[in-house]
Amino acid sequence: MKILVINPNTAELMRQQIDEGAKMYAGPGTEIVTICAASGPRSIEGEFDVALAAVGTLQTLIAHEKEFDGFVVACGQDPGLYACREVTSKPVIGIGEGSMYMACFLGHKFTSMTALWRMVPLMETIIRKYGLWDRCASVR
């Protein structure tokens, strides 16, 4: 199985860190390729950045869709996740959505944490979009 992990921002250091983590947890026989989005912000720190990152993420998936068996959007805000799912029949996982659902398997409620206060409303919106607001203890 060959999986493309898309870093929705354009920071090479972040791409390297994501790649190391993904390869550490990949199963035997799984090939991981991690690349930065074709375009977008250097860092995702608000709604504007998420919108820019969504376009680059989608362009990247489209450009590589035939080469891979599945895709990971490696950003907690999952920029472009639903749009990516519209353009391929292959699995597309967002680490924000995936981590929230995993947290629900592990406990009754979860907390979402962000480094920037201005990301709190965005995270609350995403949690509601995924239908998990009743399972969310807090966003900090």
Side-chain angles (χ1 to χ4, degrees):
M1 175 180 295
K2 189 173 179 183
I3 298 175
L4 178 63
V5 179
I6 304 170
N7 171 23
N9 68 49
T10 58
E12 177 59 22
L13 179 59
M14 178 69 74
R15 185 209 61 80
Q16 291 171 8
Q17 293 169 338
I18 292 167
D19 187 63
E20 289 173 16
K23 287 178 177 171
M24 185 182 332
Y25 293 103
T30 301
E31 180 183 350
I32 302 291
V33 176
T34 306
I35 61 175
C36 289
S39 64
R42 185 142 177 79
S43 177
I44 298 173
E45 299 179 2
E47 290 276 6
F48 180 75
D49 297 328
V50 170
L52 291 177
V55 173
T57 300
L58 184 58
Q59 290 171 331
T60 303
L61 186 141
I62 291 169
H64 298 280
E65 199 270 339
K66 289 181 170 62
E67 305 166 46
F68 294 89
D69 301 307
F71 306 88
V72 175
V73 177
C75 174
Q77 289 74 40
D78 296 337
L81 176 62
Y82 285 16
C84 287
R85 288 177 177 162
E86 285 182 7
V87 300
T88 184
S89 61
K90 298 172 182 177
V92 183
I93 305 297
I95 66 169
E97 182 183 47
S99 65
M100 288 180 220
Y101 282 113
M102 182 56 72
C104 289
F105 287 131
L106 299 174
H108 180 66
K109 292 199 175 247
F110 67 92
T111 291
S112 177
M113 298 179 69
T114 180
L116 300 169
W117 63 268
R118 69 176 182 242
M119 293 297 288
V120 170
L122 176 59
M123 289 308 303
E124 290 173 345
T125 299
I126 291 169
I127 293 165
R128 284 185 178 94
K129 180 179 181 177
Y130 295 153
L132 296 172
W133 188 248
D134 290 342
R135 300 290 301 271
C136 181
S138 65
V139 180
R140 301 172 186 258

